[in-house]
Amino acid sequence: MPTPPRVLTVAGSDSGGGAGIQADLKTMLALGTHGMSVLTAVTAQNSLGVQGAWELPAEAVRAQFRSVVDDIGVQAVKTGMLSSPELVETVADLLAGLSAPVVVDPVGVSKHGDALLAASALDAVRTKLLPTATVATPNLDEVAQLTGVRVHEEADMRRAAAAVLGFGPRWALIKGGHLEGDAVDLLTDGTEEHWLRAPRHDNRHTHGTGCTLASAVAARLARGDTVPEAVAAAKEYVTGAIAGGFRLGAGIGPVDHGWRLRG
């Protein structure tokens, strides 16, 4: 049996299973790849929010990364929750030695508004992590946090993308899900522009959308897609996952990572 493409997620754990490492691995499996993980933090998290977070030592993150990459190898990497300057710099240094594509999801806050990135780490994200990215996937809150650019309408997304690209990623995927109307995203490398639109589903159970989208992009890149192809396929996958989002607990439930299996 052939070995599936290998994708590594470097991110935090979500004990409720809706986001973080758990969402990443489910997405990677659903898209036909072998998911592997470097755990950066443990969270106590459920449908109501984040009740606690504990960062792992940089030494543990470095050891996990080397263990996987040096033996198994990777064909794409996705980064998520990196809460401190030390962790951001550690991961950026590790990624700088890779030839595989890297998808950086600059996680700033959880779906419930809980801070997941220390303010002191923002400069390291800008100057160390984003330059390693093949694709950076900030939402509008993360764009504002990183660049100061506030997007109020679709026309503002070009300016946001330019500001993100100024930090060095090859491509920026600006996620416009917080705007009114259709869910519209802009993918650009500063020359090409790809606008991706999908109908907005009336479903509040959207926990894990950012993790899922970034992981889907990484999985498709590992399978050999170009960046525009990977992002278009990931957009289709996450749109279906949002449509299938389900209630879990008393708050915001997760998207459905296995929606295609039940189609």
Side-chain angles (χ1 to χ4, degrees):
M1 187 172 181
T3 302
R6 292 144 291 161
V7 188
L8 178 64
T9 170
V10 182
S13 171
D14 173 1
S15 56
I21 289 279
Q22 287 82 349
D24 297 340
L25 294 177
K26 292 172 187 176
T27 299
M28 292 168 186
L29 178 63
L31 294 179
T33 64
H34 175 70
M36 305 168 292
S37 62
V38 170
L39 198 64
T40 62
V42 175
T43 69
Q45 188 172 168
N46 56 26
S47 70
L48 298 174
V50 179
Q51 291 78 45
W54 298 267
E55 180 180 298
L56 267 70
E59 179 183 0
V61 171
R62 192 178 297 109
Q64 292 175 81
F65 186 94
R66 292 263 61 95
S67 179
V68 171
V69 172
D70 294 347
D71 173 48
I72 300 171
V74 298
Q75 289 163 289
V77 179
K78 175 260 181 184
T79 72
M81 179 183 175
L82 302 171
S83 55
S84 69
E86 183 181 17
L87 277 189
V88 173
E89 292 176 10
T90 296
V91 171
D93 287 345
L94 291 167
L95 294 175
L98 284 185
S99 59
V102 175
V103 180
V104 171
D105 184 15
V107 177
V109 296
S110 75
K111 178 67 66 177
H112 306 88
D114 302 290
L116 299 176
L117 177 69
S120 58
L122 285 171
D123 191 56
V125 172
R126 297 182 189 108
T127 62
K128 302 288 188 181
L129 187 62
L130 286 176
T132 71
T134 307
V135 190
T137 65
N139 63 29
L140 301 186
D141 289 338
E142 290 156 355
V143 166
Q145 190 178 34
L146 288 167
T147 71
V149 174
R150 300 198 174 274
V151 175
H152 301 289
E153 56 187 7
E154 192 175 305
D156 297 331
M157 293 176 72
R158 282 194 179 97
R159 188 163 53 93
V164 172
L165 288 171
F167 293 121
R170 285 176 47 205
W171 293 81
L173 176 61
I174 307 301
K175 300 179 295 190
H178 294 167
L179 297 177
E180 297 294 325
D182 287 349
V184 59
D185 305 326
L186 171 60
L187 172 70
T188 181
D189 63 354
T191 302
E192 292 182 40
E193 274 190 2
H194 302 269
W195 293 88
L196 300 101
R197 300 178 187 277
R200 187 176 298 277
H201 294 288
D202 185 19
N203 185 356
R204 69 188 293 261
H205 300 303
T206 56
H207 187 46
T209 50
C211 304
T212 298
L213 180 64
S215 295
V217 173
R220 295 297 309 202
L221 289 173
R223 293 179 59 176
D225 284 359
T226 65
V227 170
E229 289 169 344
V231 172
K235 173 79 168 179
E236 178 187 10
Y237 174 74
V238 78
T239 299
I242 291 169
F246 53 90
R247 180 175 180 177
L248 200 67
I252 299 172
V255 300
D256 182 5
H257 298 95
W259 65 273
R260 284 179 169 157
L261 302 176
R262 291 180 275 281

